[in-house]
C-alpha cells in the first residue's frame, strides 16, 4: 500500500538545523525499594530540525524514559530539558508520540481517534475533521475513516497511531518502538513508506526521534544514532553520525560497516587499548536481581547457541553467525547475554568464546548438561532469589506474586513477566524448582534437596 504524498501544510525541507529539543545534564531516578533508582544519568542531547535521531539500546537502558522526558511526560530529577530554548514545565507542546502498542480507543472510529489530538487542543470541529482527513490520507488509510480499530490489522492500527500524532503537526514526532509489535513484512513496509514521506519533504513534522532496540532499523532510518548503555544506569555510550545517502541501500558496504560498529558498541565490546571483555559484566558477588535482569532466552535457545559456537571450534564471530542463520544480530543478543551471565561464554575481541564450563555444557548429554546448568544458573540472581526463598519457606512453596512485587520496584510489569518466564524456564530445567500456573506458585523440585545449595 502506498501512502498518498500530495497532502501537506508545511514544507519544511531543506533542513534548517534549528535547535528544537535539548537536554543538559539530564538525570532521572525512580523511587525503588532501596531508595532512588537511577535510570538516566548525565544525558546531553540535542535534536535539530531536519534530522532523524535514533535512541538505540537494549531493553532497560532508559530509551522510553528519555523519550518521555523529552515529551514532557515525566519530569527530570535534575538537569534541564528545553523545547526551542524554553524549559519544559509540562507536556511538550512541540511533540506528539507514537507508541509500540497502538493505544487506540476501541469505541471510536479511525476518524474520531485521529481527531482526538486536535480536540484536546481546542480546534473547531470542521477544521478538525478536515485535518484528520488529510492525515488519514497521508498515512495511507483513505477509505478507513469510519472503521473501528478491531476491524483493522496491526499495521493499519499503527497507521492510525501515526495519523493521530501527525495530525497535530508536531515539530518533533516521537516514536517508541513503533514497528516492534508488527510482523516483519508489515513493519518493513511501514518503515519504508514513512522514510519515503520524510525524504520527499512531505512530512508535516520537522524532526523525528525514534526509540528502537533494532540496530538495522536505526541505521536504516536515522541521521544520528545515540547508543544508550544500561549499567550501572542509562548513559550515552556513543553517538554515530550516519551520513549515508537516502534511500539507504542495505547491501552497501558502508551500511554493513556501520551496523558492525554500532553492534560492537551495543554489545559492550571494547575499543582498542582497553582490556577485552564486556563492560556490562557485573562481578558475581555484586549481582542483584535489580542490576542483573535476566535476558529473554530459553534454555533451548541458549543451548542452541552454545552448541553452534562449539561446532565452530568453541569460538566464532557473532556477526558471521547471525548472518549464516539469516538472523539479525539483535536476535542473538538475549542468548549471548544469557550465556555470558551463566559464565558459559566471554567475548574476546570480536569473537564469542566458550569458557571451560561452557564447552562442557555444550558438549554434554542431557543429564550432565543439566547438572552443569544447575550450578551455573545460581549466578542468575533472580533464580538464586527464588531458590533461596523456597529453601526458607516452611511449606516449600513460594507465590510468584511475592517475587513479582519485589521486581516491580525496578522493572515495568512487562519486563517482570519476561524475567519470571526466564527464571521459571531456567529453574525448571535445572530441577531447582517447579512452577504451577494455577495458583501461580513455585515449589521446590522433588530433587531439590540434591540440587546445588544456594549460595548465601
Ligand atoms: P527501555 O525503554 O530502554 O527498555 P525504560 O526507560 O523503559 O527502558 O526503563 C529503564 C529503567 O527504568 C528500567 O529498569 C525500568 O524498570 C525503570 N523504569 C521505567 N519506568 C519506571 C517507573 N515508572 N517506575 C520505576 N522504574 C521505572
Ligand atoms: Mg522502552
Amino acid at each position: 500500500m502506498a501512502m498518498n504524498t500530495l497532502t501537506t501544510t508545511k514544507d519544511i525541507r531543506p533542513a534548517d538545523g534549528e535547535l528544537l529539543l535539548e537536554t543538559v545534564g539530564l538525570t532521572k531516578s525512580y523511587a525503588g525499594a532501596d531508595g532512588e533508582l537511577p535510570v538516566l544519568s548525565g544525558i546531553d542531547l540535542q535534536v535539530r530540525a531536519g534530522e532523524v535521531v535514533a535512541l538505540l539500546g537494549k531493553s532497560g537502558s532508559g530509551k522510553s524514559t528519555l523519550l518521555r522526558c523529552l515529551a514532557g511526560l515525566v519530569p527530570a530529577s535534575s538537569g534541564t530539558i528545553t523545547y526551542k530554548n524554553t524549559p519544559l514545565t509540562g507536556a511538550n507542546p512541540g511533540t506528539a508520540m507514537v507508541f509500540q502498542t497502538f493505544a487506540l480507543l476501541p469505541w471510536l472510529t479511525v476518524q474520531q481517534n485521529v481527531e482526538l489530538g486536535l480536540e484536546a487542543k481546542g480546534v473547531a470541529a470542521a477544521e478538525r475533521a478536515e485535518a484528520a482527513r488529510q492525515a488519514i490520507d497521508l498515512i495511507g488509510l483513505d477509505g478507513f475513516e469510519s472503521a473501528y480499530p478491531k476491524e483493522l490489522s496491526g499495521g493499519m492500527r499503527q497507521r492510525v497511531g501515526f495519523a493521530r500524532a501527525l495530525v497535530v503537526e508536531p515539530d518533533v514526532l516521537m516514536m517508541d518502538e513503533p514497528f516492534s509489535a508488527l510482523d516483519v513484512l508489515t513493519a518493513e513496509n511501514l518503515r519504508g513508506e514513512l522514510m519515503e514521506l520524510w525524504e520527499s519533504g512531505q512530512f508535516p513534522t520537522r524532526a523525528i526521534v525514534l526509540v528502537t532496540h533494532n540496530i538495522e532499523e536505526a541505521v536504516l532510518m536515522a541521521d544520528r544514532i545515540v547508543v544508550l548503555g544500561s549499567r550501572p544506569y542509562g548513559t550515552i555510550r556513543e553517538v554515530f553520525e550516519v551520513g549515508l545517502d537516502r534511500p539507504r541501500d542495505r547491501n552497501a558496504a558502508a551500511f554493513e560497516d556501520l551496523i558492525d560498529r554500532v553492534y560492537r558498541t551495543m554489545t559492550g565490546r571494547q575499543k582498542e587499548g582497553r582490556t577485552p571483555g564486556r563492560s556490562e559484566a557485573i562481578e558475581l558477588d555484586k549481582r542483584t536481581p535489580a542490576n542483573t535482569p535476566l535476558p529473554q532466552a530459553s534454555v533451548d535457545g541458549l543451548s542452541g547457541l552454545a552448541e553452534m559456537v562449539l561446532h565452530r571450534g568453541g569460538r566464532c564471530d557473532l556477526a558471521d553467525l547471525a548472518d549464516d542463520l539469516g538472523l539479525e544480530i539483535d536476535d542473538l543478543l538475549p542468548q549471548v547475554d544469557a550465556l555470558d551471565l551463566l559464565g558459559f561464554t566471554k567475548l574476546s575481541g570480536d569473537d564469542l568464546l566458550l569458557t571451560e564450563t561452557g564447552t562442557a555444557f555444550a558438549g554434554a548429554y542431557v543429564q550432565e548438561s543439566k547438572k552443569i546448568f544447575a550450578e551455573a544458573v545460581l549466578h542468575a540472581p533472580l533464580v538464586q532469589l527464588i531458590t533461596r526463598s523456597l529453601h526458607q519457606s516452611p511449606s516449600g512453596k513460594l507465590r510468584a506474586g511475592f517475587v513479582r512485587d519485589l521486581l516491580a520496584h525496578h522493572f515495568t510489569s512487562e519486563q517482570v513477566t519476561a524475567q519470571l518466564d526466564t527464571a521459571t524456564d531456567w529453574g525448571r530445567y535445572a530441577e531447582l524448582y517447579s512452577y504451577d500456573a494455577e495458583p501461580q506458585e513455585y515449589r521446590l523440585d522433588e530433587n531439590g534437596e540434591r540440587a546445588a545449595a544456594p549460595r548465601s
Side-chain angles (χ1 to χ4, degrees), residues 59-60 62-65 100 176-177 211 415:
S59 172
K63 306 179 295 293
S64 294
T65 301
Q100 174 182 358
D176 194 348
E177 313 225 11
V211 160
Q415 292 168 332

Side-chain angles (χ1 to χ4, degrees), residues 41-245:
S41 172
I43 305 283
D44 296 324
L45 180 72
Q46 297 190 332
V47 178
R48 293 180 177 276
E51 66 176 353
V52 180
V53 176
L55 305 178
L56 177 71
K58 290 191 222 172
S59 172
S61 57
K63 306 179 295 293
S64 294
T65 301
L66 178 52
L67 198 70
R68 296 170 72 81
C69 285
L70 289 169
L73 299 174
V74 293
S77 300
S78 67
T80 56
I81 312 171
T82 54
Y83 166 56
K84 290 187 178 168
N85 292 315
T86 307
L88 293 182
T89 52
N92 188 333
T95 61
M97 184 88 84
V98 180
F99 298 96
Q100 174 182 358
T101 49
F102 321 120
L104 304 178
L105 297 180
W107 58 88
L108 297 183
T109 64
V110 167
Q111 172 85 24
Q112 290 165 332
N113 264 292
V114 174
E115 281 186 35
L116 272 186
L118 292 173
E119 228 170 301
K121 290 199 159 184
V123 178
E127 204 181 317
R128 227 161 53 208
E130 178 51 28
R133 263 194 299 277
Q134 286 193 18
I136 285 169
D137 202 17
L138 179 76
I139 209 77
L141 278 169
D142 206 6
F144 287 90
E145 289 84 352
S146 56
Y148 287 90
K150 67 170 188 299
E151 303 169 51
L152 304 177
S153 67
M156 297 303 271
R157 281 183 216 173
Q158 191 55 304
R159 282 173 199 265
V160 183
F162 275 106
R164 192 179 46 191
L166 290 174
V167 75
V168 301
E169 304 197 343
D171 268 344
V172 188
L173 179 69
M174 319 286 263
M175 313 197 260
D176 194 348
E177 313 225 11
F179 310 108
S180 59
L182 306 175
D183 68 80
V184 180
L185 293 177
T186 304
E188 186 60 23
N189 187 35
L190 197 49
R191 259 197 297 266
E193 290 182 17
L194 278 175
M195 289 330 286
E196 268 173 41
L197 272 183
W198 173 256
E199 285 155 21
S200 72
Q202 311 252 326
F203 218 57
T205 101
R206 304 172 70 199
I208 295 177
V209 180
L210 165 75
V211 160
T212 181
H213 66 268
N214 183 320
I215 298 170
E216 189 166 300
E217 182 171 293
V219 176
L220 203 58
M221 297 179 69
D223 298 301
R224 207 141 51 81
I225 301 174
V226 177
V227 179
L228 296 178
S230 55
R231 310 283 164 67
Y233 33 70
T235 50
I236 295 180
R237 192 178 277 173
E238 198 155 334
V239 177
F240 293 88
E241 299 292 337
V242 178
L244 298 169
D245 292 338

Side-chain angles (χ1 to χ4, degrees), residues 409-420:
H409 295 296
H410 304 280
F411 304 101
T412 63
S413 66
E414 260 171 50
Q415 292 168 332
V416 170
T417 302
Q419 288 195 51
L420 283 179

Side-chain angles (χ1 to χ4, degrees), residues 32-45:
D34 3 286
E36 290 284 291
L37 179 79
V39 171
L40 294 172
S41 172
I43 305 283
D44 296 324
L45 180 72

Side-chain angles (χ1 to χ4, degrees), residues 333-399:
L333 289 184
Q335 286 77 26
V336 172
D337 280 347
L339 291 174
D340 200 38
L341 180 77
L342 295 165
F344 289 163
T345 54
K346 48 182 197 234
L347 281 160
S348 155
D350 277 1
D351 288 349
L352 184 65
L353 191 72
L354 282 177
T355 59
E356 210 174 302
T357 354
T359 308
F361 171 70
Y365 288 108
V366 68
Q367 284 314 322
E368 181 60 21
S369 111
K370 264 180 189 267
K371 235 195 266 167
I372 298 170
F373 188 82
E375 270 173 44
V377 81
L378 292 171
H379 296 166
L382 182 55
V383 174
Q384 199 184 102
L385 170 80
I386 295 171
T387 310
R388 208 187 287 156
S389 306
L390 279 169
H391 277 280
Q392 284 168 5
S393 153
S395 62
K397 290 178 182 172
L398 177 70
R399 291 243 170 215

